[in-house]
Amino acid sequence: MSKPEILVVDDQPTICKEVVSYLRNDYNVHAFKSGKDALDYLEKHPVDLVLLDYYMPEMTGFEVLLQMRQNKITSDTPAVFLTAEINARMEHEMMQRGATDYLCKPIDSAQLIQCINKHLAAVQ
């Protein structure tokens, strides 16, 4: 049985490295620093779940999510936001736009793995 494919999208290399280090034993993890690069990858490589930074330059996590939801290939792919801050408006907006869940930074590895496993189990 192959490992689930996880895509991490965060403009901060330290966050990408941290998340990859938490997940690499149990998942095939691919990390990108930009939303455009991630969307290009998703066109050719379907993944099981996307971890998406909320704030990124050039293309925000919301813009990435919107394009994912409009694409037949990625329309149902679970997308979990990673964010340093959250308020009621942001939470509402994330869920309205099709986010599956969100986690707050700094990332707790146990919470991250629990969240991923929950959402992967829901789509199988």
Side-chain angles (χ1 to χ4, degrees), residues 39 52 59-72 74-75 79 81 94 96-99:
L39 289 168
L52 189 56
M59 179 180 253
T60 68
F62 273 151
E63 292 167 325
V64 173
L65 180 63
L66 182 61
Q67 288 193 31
M68 284 178 61
R69 294 300 176 242
Q70 292 174 347
N71 184 326
K72 204 163 43 170
T74 57
S75 62
F81 273 102
M94 279 189 270
Q96 286 291 105
R97 293 193 183 192

Side-chain angles (χ1 to χ4, degrees), residues 48-113:
D48 297 296
L49 185 137
V50 176
L51 298 170
L52 189 56
D53 185 17
Y54 186 91
Y55 292 112
M56 292 186 291
E58 297 174 28
M59 179 180 253
T60 68
F62 273 151
E63 292 167 325
V64 173
L65 180 63
L66 182 61
Q67 288 193 31
M68 284 178 61
R69 294 300 176 242
Q70 292 174 347
N71 184 326
K72 204 163 43 170
I73 297 169
T74 57
S75 62
D76 294 328
T77 303
V80 176
F81 273 102
L82 305 176
T83 183
E85 59 183 68
I86 189 76
N87 61 45
R89 181 195 57 78
M90 287 171 56
E91 182 178 3
H92 176 74
E93 194 170 324
M94 279 189 270
M95 297 306 152
Q96 286 291 105
R97 293 193 183 192
T100 308
D101 208 339
Y102 68 90
L103 293 171
C104 292
K105 296 177 185 175
I107 298 164
D108 175 85
S109 62
Q111 185 181 23
L112 174 64
I113 291 168

Side-chain angles (χ1 to χ4, degrees), residues 6-76:
I6 306 289
L7 187 71
V8 181
V9 188
D10 198 304
D11 61 307
Q12 296 178 5
T14 54
I15 298 292
C16 286
K17 287 178 188 174
E18 178 184 15
V19 172
V20 168
S21 73
Y22 293 154
L23 303 179
R24 70 175 158 230
N25 290 334
D26 298 315
Y27 309 97
N28 290 324
V29 187
H30 312 279
F32 292 92
K33 293 189 302 184
S34 80
K36 182 188 178 325
D37 290 344
L39 289 168
D40 289 345
Y41 181 85
L42 287 169
E43 277 294 320
K44 298 177 185 88
H45 307 93
V47 299
D48 297 296
L49 185 137
V50 176
L51 298 170
L52 189 56
D53 185 17
Y54 186 91
Y55 292 112
M56 292 186 291
E58 297 174 28
M59 179 180 253
T60 68
F62 273 151
E63 292 167 325
V64 173
L65 180 63
L66 182 61
Q67 288 193 31
M68 284 178 61
R69 294 300 176 242
Q70 292 174 347
N71 184 326
K72 204 163 43 170
I73 297 169
T74 57
S75 62
D76 294 328

Side-chain angles (χ1 to χ4, degrees), residues 1-6 26-29 48 116 120 124:
M1 189 164 142
S2 62
K3 294 179 181 179
E5 300 281 332
I6 306 289
D26 298 315
Y27 309 97
N28 290 324
V29 187
D48 297 296
I116 290 170
L120 288 178
Q124 292 180 1

